[in-house]
Amino acid sequence: MEKPTVVVLFGATGDLARRKLLPGLLHLFEADLLKDARIVGTSLEGLDTEQFVKLARQACEDFADEDLTDEVWAGFSAMLSYVPQSAGTEALAAEVYRVETLLPGDIHDKRRLHYLSVPPKAALAVLEQLQEGNLVERARIIMEKPFGTDLESAKKLNARVHEVFAESQVFRIDHFLGKEAAQNILAFRFANGLFEPIWNRNFIDHVQIDVPETLGLEGRTKFYETTGAYRDMVVTHLMQVLAFTAMEPPTSLAPDPISDEKLKVFRSMKPIEPHHAVRGQYAGYRGKEEVADDSDTETFVALRVEIDNWRWAGVPFYLRTGKKLAEGARIISIAFKEPPLTMFPKGSNVGTQGPDHLTFDLADQSKMSLSFYGKRPGPGMKLDKLSMQFATHDTEASGLVLEAYERLIHDAMRGDHTLFTTAEGIEELWAKSMPLLEHPPPVRSYQPGSWGPNAIHQLIAPHAWRLPFERGWRSTGTVTRDSPEDD
């Protein structure tokens, strides 16, 4: 940690706090990355500190990756306190001031980190509370998505935030960018002479960023009716991953140069036209208590994104995400252009299983694979699709992996904006999204457990989606035979 810090966790009894934030803070404490800190929880629940500590322990036992010992819990729980929202702004401020005095050092060397794990509509009320309680000084604020629902609302939200906090104090969180695999894209691209020279339109045919989910909208239907899959997932997550994949080399891996290059990608994007998108809604979504019988909200979206710059002109980026799909995955798939294949005899199998692919798996364990053709042992020229794979758990450093929220909370404590989104970047994305938002194509029904509406195949033609044809990850060995693909 940079300095002693008071973490104020708004929405401390909510689902995100219980599943990710409290277990994440515990893991940072166990990893010795949360020294000299206090955690003040606050929410609408009328709890006292003792009850909140019990809730936090249950959350950590349910969702932390490792067994929780009494010794570890004693050290972590001593950092916790709780103030219900019903006690008012003065009570919350008084508790923050109190625990600050328990931290070592001069008051000017102490930080406050406000984490807004609250619905978007409640964020403005929290800003007012922080302002009224004089909790802005020496503070940083982490904000959860969505960052507006269109260009106008994003500008209004950013303007209100900037009335209270300077942009340097604001951390708009995107947990996708906190994953090891997402950051590995930067290392893979820019540290290897093998790949950086071919990371352009001359060698890459197309790119897929695919985040299907098997879950539905249990408990989130009302929220989804005001957002939909595009606002909820594409602007906040998939576009940020696209920027990491497509950006030019920054002058350094510091926050400002990386943010500058990501913004250039967004500015180079062509506006997203309705005919380059497919919207879907799973059968059974309508008719629920919070959903109108004629709801036009999409639970699925796939789109084609074009980046009109010297590196990527003519290379389509295909993005897909949706609820209640056949499989849950998070992959980036780079398809390379195929060389001339006429020299190979008929029956050699060359070209029948698609082009070479480089795949990044954005699951919790960082994984990468490179598929290519190789000769099958034996007489004649028979080729098979092979795959070389790497996974973080294969390395000696696998125990050092931080979960996405843990990494991002730690980065915010240190004031590192590298993996966070800027106001300017968000507004640029909304601007490029307006043609689609103003004239959305009709939603098409799809069956739960499928891969979405059939129109997605026309969207990506003459290519095919890498999923569901992505082969399974190996458990042993270094080279495996690829499963058949439809590319």
Side-chain angles (χ1 to χ4, degrees):
M1 285 174 56
E2 188 183 48
K3 294 182 178 180
T5 301
V6 177
V7 179
V8 185
L9 182 55
F10 291 86
T13 62
D15 185 59
L16 178 62
R18 290 186 295 105
R19 289 188 299 107
K20 294 292 185 181
L21 304 183
L22 290 168
L25 289 165
L26 171 65
H27 190 213
L28 290 175
F29 173 76
E30 290 179 293
D32 216 18
L33 297 174
L34 197 65
K35 295 179 179 179
D36 300 331
R38 291 278 169 165
I39 301 166
V40 179
T42 181
S43 75
L44 298 177
E45 297 290 334
L47 308 178
D48 57 23
T49 292
E50 182 179 354
Q51 292 171 316
F52 176 63
V53 169
K54 289 181 179 178
L55 180 149
R57 173 148 195 175
Q58 188 63 53
C60 292
E61 289 178 345
D62 290 344
F63 298 106
D65 291 335
E66 299 178 0
D67 292 337
L68 181 59
T69 65
D70 289 340
E71 181 181 358
V72 169
W73 181 250
F76 180 71
S77 62
M79 302 165 62
L80 302 176
S81 61
Y82 184 84
V83 178
Q85 282 288 296
S86 59
T89 299
E90 290 185 3
L92 177 62
E95 178 63 11
V96 173
Y97 300 152
R98 183 188 74 82
V99 298
E100 272 185 333
T101 63
L102 304 178
L103 297 176
D106 184 84
I107 188 66
H108 299 293
D109 292 327
K110 300 175 185 180
R111 293 277 186 189
R112 300 161 180 165
L113 179 66
H114 305 302
Y115 197 121
L116 274 58
S117 178
V118 297
K121 291 183 179 178
L124 294 180
V126 173
L127 288 173
E128 292 180 8
Q129 188 175 19
L130 294 174
Q131 195 172 30
E132 291 174 3
N134 295 317
L135 295 174
V136 176
E137 185 183 6
R138 298 178 281 107
R140 293 164 179 152
I141 181 171
I142 297 178
M143 300 190 69
E144 280 281 346
K145 67 171 177 79
F147 314 116
T149 56
D150 55 22
L151 180 58
E152 182 180 0
S153 62
K155 285 183 174 181
K156 287 182 179 179
L157 175 61
N158 286 329
R160 178 61 185 129
V161 170
H162 290 156
E163 288 176 3
V164 182
F165 290 93
E167 178 66 16
S168 61
Q169 295 175 279
V170 182
F171 293 78
R172 297 170 188 81
I173 197 167
D174 173 15
H175 69 272
F176 273 49
L177 295 189
K179 295 179 177 296
E180 285 284 347
Q183 296 169 73
N184 220 348
I185 296 171
L186 300 182
F188 198 84
R189 282 189 59 188
F190 301 130
N192 294 293
L194 176 62
F195 287 100
E196 177 52 27
I198 63 173
W199 208 268
N200 56 61
R201 58 190 169 94
N202 295 320
F203 298 94
I204 292 177
D205 186 75
H206 66 278
V207 178
Q208 296 180 32
I209 300 174
D210 209 353
V211 187
E213 298 180 272
T214 57
L215 295 176
L217 290 167
E218 295 77 5
R220 299 181 69 223
T221 309
K222 186 176 181 181
F223 162 76
Y224 229 70
E225 274 294 285
T226 63
T227 54
Y230 186 85
R231 291 177 171 90
D232 183 47
M233 289 290 293
V234 176
V235 175
T236 51
H237 292 326
L238 275 65
M239 289 296 192
Q240 305 301 325
V241 174
L242 180 150
F244 262 36
T245 308
M247 73 185 201
E248 295 296 319
T251 55
S252 72
L253 293 181
D256 288 345
I258 287 180
S259 293
D260 290 345
E261 297 304 332
K262 287 173 60 182
L263 182 58
K264 289 178 185 177
V265 172
F266 300 148
R267 286 174 173 166
S268 298
M269 283 172 46
K270 293 183 178 181
I272 299 171
E273 302 292 342
H275 65 275
H276 280 164
V278 174
R279 299 168 68 234
Q281 186 184 91
Y282 64 77
Y285 175 80
R286 294 177 181 176
K288 294 183 179 179
E289 192 171 314
E290 304 92 346
V291 182
D293 291 341
D294 59 349
S295 171
D296 192 48
T297 300
E298 79 277 1
T299 62
F300 170 98
V301 65
L303 61 150
R304 173 186 174 125
V305 177
E306 298 177 350
I307 302 173
D308 195 21
N309 62 17
W310 285 98
R311 183 180 290 265
W312 295 112
V315 178
F317 285 70
Y318 297 103
L319 280 56
R320 176 174 65 171
T321 187
K323 303 293 184 182
K324 288 202 173 183
L325 297 179
E327 182 181 329
R330 298 167 181 176
I331 71 164
I332 305 169
S333 184
I334 315 292
F336 294 99
K337 290 185 176 180
E338 290 189 286
L341 302 174
T342 54
M343 63 177 284
F344 290 93
K346 288 184 178 180
S348 65
N349 205 35
V350 68
T352 60
Q353 298 180 55
D356 300 339
H357 277 86
L358 175 65
T359 301
F360 295 87
D361 189 324
L362 300 186
D364 290 337
Q365 284 283 2
S366 175
K367 299 176 182 178
M368 294 181 294
S369 73
L370 178 64
S371 68
F372 53 91
Y373 286 99
K375 183 183 178 301
R376 183 186 302 175
M381 182 57 72
K382 285 280 190 179
L383 279 70
D384 280 327
K385 205 69 176 295
L386 306 175
S387 176
M388 289 195 299
Q389 302 184 3
F390 161 82
T392 299
H393 59 70
D394 291 336
T395 71
E396 294 180 357
S398 60
L400 301 178
V401 172
L402 292 178
E403 198 270 345
Y405 277 102
E406 298 164 6
R407 179 185 310 282
L408 294 170
I409 291 171
H410 187 244
D411 283 354
M413 286 179 175
R414 297 186 299 112
D416 187 343
H417 277 87
T418 302
L419 302 176
F420 294 86
T421 306
T422 65
E424 196 172 5
I426 284 293
E427 290 178 12
E428 187 67 34
L429 282 174
W430 283 123
K432 295 299 172 66
S433 301
M434 290 316 295
L436 175 63
L437 297 179
E438 290 173 345
H439 303 285
V443 292
R444 302 167 184 263
S445 180
Y446 65 94
Q447 290 300 313
S450 70
W451 285 98
N454 289 332
I456 62 172
H457 302 299
Q458 286 74 50
L459 176 71
I460 202 171
H463 315 296
W465 293 99
R466 181 70 168 161
L467 290 172
F469 307 106
E470 178 73 42
R471 75 274 159 282
W473 291 91
R474 65 174 173 81
S475 56
T476 58
T478 56
V479 180
T480 61
R481 182 177 298 179
D482 234 11
S483 301
E485 301 166 350
D486 267 9
D487 256 336

